[in-house]
Amino acid sequence: MASSADRNPPPFPASEEPEPELSDMADGDSDEGEDIFVSNSHPASVSRGVCQPEEPADLFNEEATAAQPNGVHSDDDDLFAEAQADLSSDPSADSPRKDLSCPSGPPLARSPAALQPTSLEQLEEEEEAKDSFDVDVAVTNPEKVGDGMNAYVAYKVSTRTSLPMFKSKAFTARRRFSDFLGLYEKLSAKQSLHGCIIPPPPEKSVVGMTKVKVGMDDPSSVEFVEKRRAALERYLQRIVSHPLLLQDPDVREFLERDDLPRAVNTQALSGAGFLKMITKASDAVSKMTIKMNESDTWFEDKFQEVDMEEQQLRKLHAVVDSLVNHRKELCMNTAVFAKSMAMLGNSEDNTALSRALSQLAEVEDKMEQLHQEQAGSDFFVFAELLADYIRLLGAVRGCFDQRVRAWQRWQEAQSTLQKKREAEAKLLWANKPDKLQQAKEEIGEWEAKVTQYERDFDRIGMTVRKEVLRFEKEKAKDFKSQIIKYLEAMLQSQQRLIKFWEAFLPEAKAIA
Amino acid sequence: PDALCERDKVKFTVHTKTTLSSFQKPDFSVPRQHEDFIWLHDALVETEDYAGLIIPPAPPKPDFESPRDKMHKLGEGEATMTKEEYTKMKQELEAEYLAVFKKTVQVHEVFLQRLSSHPVLSKDRNFQIFLEYDQDLSVRRKNAKEMFGGFFKNMVKSADEVLISGIKEVDDFFEQEKTFLLDYYSKIKDSTAKAEKMTRSHKNIADDYIHISATLNSLCAEDSTPNKKDLWKLNLAFFIHLQKVEGRVASDQELKLTELLRYYMRDIQAAKDLLYRRARALVDYENSNKALDKARLKSKDIPQAEEHQRQSLQKFDKLSESAKKELTSFKGRRVVAFRKNLIEMAELEIKHAKVSSVLFSLCVSLAVCS
């Protein structure tokens, strides 16, 4: 997994950098200083630990606390307990440490000799840890803040993490929708140049927001807020599961800082908004005019695939939408029917039949609830999944576009270089030595640029490839888990249906 | 006697088996059209002698309009759908057509069966003609004048009903029945409408599933990655089945519940008509009483008035008696029918749900493993 390989270097240099300082400190400092840093420094700790029996106690203290940032959540206490046990059983520092490093494998290798094998273990452990979430993000508690047209909904973004680069392990921040959009803007400005796939946020909806602002408490606006909250949560989860994006300081800032500067350029009617629209239009035009000669068929095939898939998903989404609507209709009709049945049961004079009819009304009522839940499941699990992936596929296409743009830049640089060379040739022929010097400098400059752009292009190509593969894997996983969820929900509803009708049957049979 | 209906285009084949001596043969069948049934019903209603009986409601005209419309729309939209989707929808429509047809046959059959099981009505001459007459009855359809006349009669009748409803009822039993029936009628009409809506929603959902499965099919066909393909195929199978089940649930529900309600709505209407006739007779009797008093006062035409009064009293009594019998048996019949249909509906729902849940659990376990 290339992505996790990228991830490993950061903790390592972090732990390695203190080492040179440590070796300085270890020589002449107080015991406290050693204790604090000794967990990070491998060679130093060995020498320390061997000659000072009291230190191991503190050493293991530090180890226990230092174990946490390295990706092992629940093992902390176990580690400490084990450390204690090992300490009591074996006073020598070396073997307990080795025992420690084996069970949990965090980067607490003690001896330099043991460094290499454990670092490999570490790599594997960290890889596994990366598969599960190191960062857990949740978006909860939508609350309306303010009044009138300036009102907005603030969401609580809570993060739980074990990564060292965050200041603490769990923190929350209040964010509003434009903050999320602002994050997206910043990320796409920076990262898309490298060819990453940036998950797009949910769309702005003027109608929905106006309803919420005005304060209408009807179910549709509640639903709207819920839909948005779920979408924002999925958006953040996708961002943090992307290894490169997680590194980005903007993301960290978004999650950590108490107060973000208001991202005004996400407003629809602002100057920045207009600028965006113009750039989008010009991009579209340039895409149409310049045709890239694709040397790599992989990209072309992939692009076609992505296109077709997006179309199909769109169609599917439309149909699922109508399914959701019809189910909601069924809900309403069933409720109305249940009421009417109840009234009929009331006016029926045969008592057994009357009871049976009212029972039927109750069953239908329960069915209505069932259908309601089913509709919810249809929507939140299935339809939203499709909508998300339609947008994500759009992002993938954006990725491909970036690559095309990189190619364009390269080509342009090449043509400029060509022109410069021609100019140089002309000057040579016209024999103007001073201008010639300048021309030669320019040529050198442009040659450098050409090589740079070519390298950029290749790099983007590779990143895009990687990203697309990763995306596909994620997509397969996502779809599978969502579909399983959906199927399970349907299964449950069918079983409950059985129960309801089975309860009704004896009543019906009891009609004299 | 036993009546069996088979269909042949828009004609019905009425097949009778009987042991009664009044018929020429023990076993025979004749072709009939819907209009013949209506004629029979009207003839029975118009017979004075049967005023004290509840005439079973006439079967409604077979309604193939709705599926025909949909078929038409389907044909128009053929270009936008894939071939599989189109065949699916067509199959679905054909099933609906079949269901409508089955329903119609059933309704007509029930009509005849009720007639034949009624002690008095089964001896009716018209009924026997209906069952026996070999050739086409060639019932003259009501021409415009008669239609209008019928319509006018109906209006008069409803105005009359309103007037008569103010009459003081002598018999408690009938008073109760009247209130009960009126109330029940309005409720059942309401329920029928709502049930119809519900059934329609179910059908819509079933249609949606067809579309979903078709789209999944095309997605599946195009996708190259093997693991996703399996997943989509799985989904596809699941949705196809779901659609079938949902469609079946909808039609079952329709047959058992909605039809039941609809039928009894009409039956109650017939019972109401009976009550009306009786009330009419009561009014006649009272009128004749008044006439008699007047005649006595004027000392003219007394024997005629007396005769008239006696006749109307007789009629009224006979009517009341048979009405009582009819209404009681009607109650019993209704309860039995409701019971049967409700039980059947519940059992069917359980069956479908069980099948579905088995399939779902299968799908889930497959999905988890893949």
Side-chain angles (χ1 to χ4, degrees), chain B residues 151-168:
Chain B
F151 179 63
F152 192 62
K153 239 195 334 193
N154 265 337
M155 284 201 24
V156 169
K157 185 170 134 200
S158 13
D160 218 8
E161 265 180 347
V162 173
L163 275 167
I164 285 182
S165 58
I167 285 281
K168 196 171 70 83

Side-chain angles (χ1 to χ4, degrees), chain A residues 312 319 322-323 326-327 333 336-337 340 347-350 480 483 491 494 498 501-502 509 511-512, chain B residues 180 183-184 191 194 197 201 208-209 212 222 235 238 257 331 334-335 339 349-350 353 357 367 370:
Chain A
Q312 293 290 353
V319 181
S322 100
L323 177 68
H326 282 146
R327 221 187 269 283
N333 287 341
V336 160
F337 176 69
S340 147
S347 60
E348 173 66 57
D349 54 357
N350 179 320
K480 183 163 143 179
I483 284 180
L491 176 64
Q494 288 294 327
I498 291 181
W501 285 107
E502 278 181 345
K509 289 204 171 126
I511 300 175
Chain B
F180 170 67
D183 188 33
Y184 203 74
S191 295
K194 306 280 162 57
K197 269 207 222 149
S201 292
D208 276 340
Y209 283 139
I212 290 184
E222 285 161 8
N235 254 345
F238 146 67
L257 190 61
K331 250 210 268 282
R334 192 181 73 233
V335 170
R339 178 174 186 275
E349 293 256 0
I350 292 179
S357 59
S370 71

Side-chain angles (χ1 to χ4, degrees), chain A residues 305 308-309 312 315-316 319-320 322-323 326-327 329-330 333-334 336-337 340-341 343-344 347-350 353 360 364 382 475-476 479-480 483-484 486-488 490-491 494-495 497-498 501-502 504-505 508-509 511-512, chain B residues 180 183-184 187-188 190-191 194-195 197-198 201-202 204-205 208-209 211-212 215 218-219 222 224 228 231-232 235 238-239 257 331 334-335 338-339 342-343 345-346 349-350 353-354 356-357 360-361 363-364 367-368 370:
Chain A
E305 250 183 61
M308 290 234 290
E309 203 168 335
Q312 293 290 353
K315 259 204 290 190
L316 192 59
V319 181
V320 173
S322 100
L323 177 68
H326 282 146
R327 221 187 269 283
E329 225 179 74
L330 179 65
N333 287 341
T334 316
V336 160
F337 176 69
S340 147
M341 256 294 151
M343 291 213 313
L344 191 65
S347 60
E348 173 66 57
D349 54 357
N350 179 320
L353 183 57
L360 182 65
E364 292 289 338
F382 205 10
K475 181 165 71 143
F479 265 90
K480 183 163 143 179
I483 284 180
I484 289 181
Y486 183 64
L487 285 178
E488 283 181 344
M490 291 209 93
L491 176 64
Q494 288 294 327
Q495 285 175 333
L497 212 128
I498 291 181
W501 285 107
E502 278 181 345
F504 174 70
L505 196 56
K509 289 204 171 126
I511 300 175
Chain B
F180 170 67
D183 188 33
Y184 203 74
K187 301 263 168 61
I188 213 177
D190 191 44
S191 295
K194 306 280 162 57
K197 269 207 222 149
M198 204 168 73
S201 292
H202 264 297
N204 280 339
I205 291 187
D208 276 340
Y209 283 139
H211 290 303
I212 290 184
T215 325
S218 44
L219 244 175
E222 285 161 8
S224 51
K228 281 265 295 306
L231 196 62
W232 286 127
N235 254 345
F238 146 67
F239 269 114
L257 190 61
K331 250 210 268 282
R334 192 181 73 233
V335 170
F338 264 79
R339 178 174 186 275
L342 286 178
I343 291 179
M345 187 173 83
E349 293 256 0
I350 292 179
K354 279 205 175 123
S356 285
S357 59
F360 283 137
S361 49
C363 277
V364 168
V368 170
S370 71

Side-chain angles (χ1 to χ4, degrees), chain A residues 38-54:
Chain A
V38 83
S39 53
N40 277 334
S41 141
H42 311 241
S45 58
V46 175
S47 44
R48 289 301 123 215
V50 165
C51 37
Q52 279 147 8
E54 303 95 53

Side-chain angles (χ1 to χ4, degrees), chain A residues 245-303:
Chain A
L245 289 181
L246 188 53
Q247 303 275 344
D248 193 307
D250 275 330
V251 173
R252 249 180 294 154
E253 195 181 81
F254 181 85
L255 291 174
E256 280 188 322
R257 259 179 80 167
D258 277 332
D259 245 328
L260 273 191
R262 180 88 188 276
V264 268
N265 56 355
T266 57
Q267 277 171 346
L269 294 175
S270 64
F274 282 129
L275 195 64
K276 251 193 297 175
M277 280 197 286
I278 294 175
T279 41
K280 264 203 202 129
S282 65
D283 276 345
V285 168
S286 66
K287 240 200 294 183
M288 284 191 286
T289 50
I290 300 183
K291 195 70 179 96
M292 175 172 168
N293 53 345
E294 187 59 74
S295 49
D296 196 345
T297 48
W298 186 89
F299 284 101
E300 210 168 284
D301 289 341
K302 268 299 162 193
F303 193 71

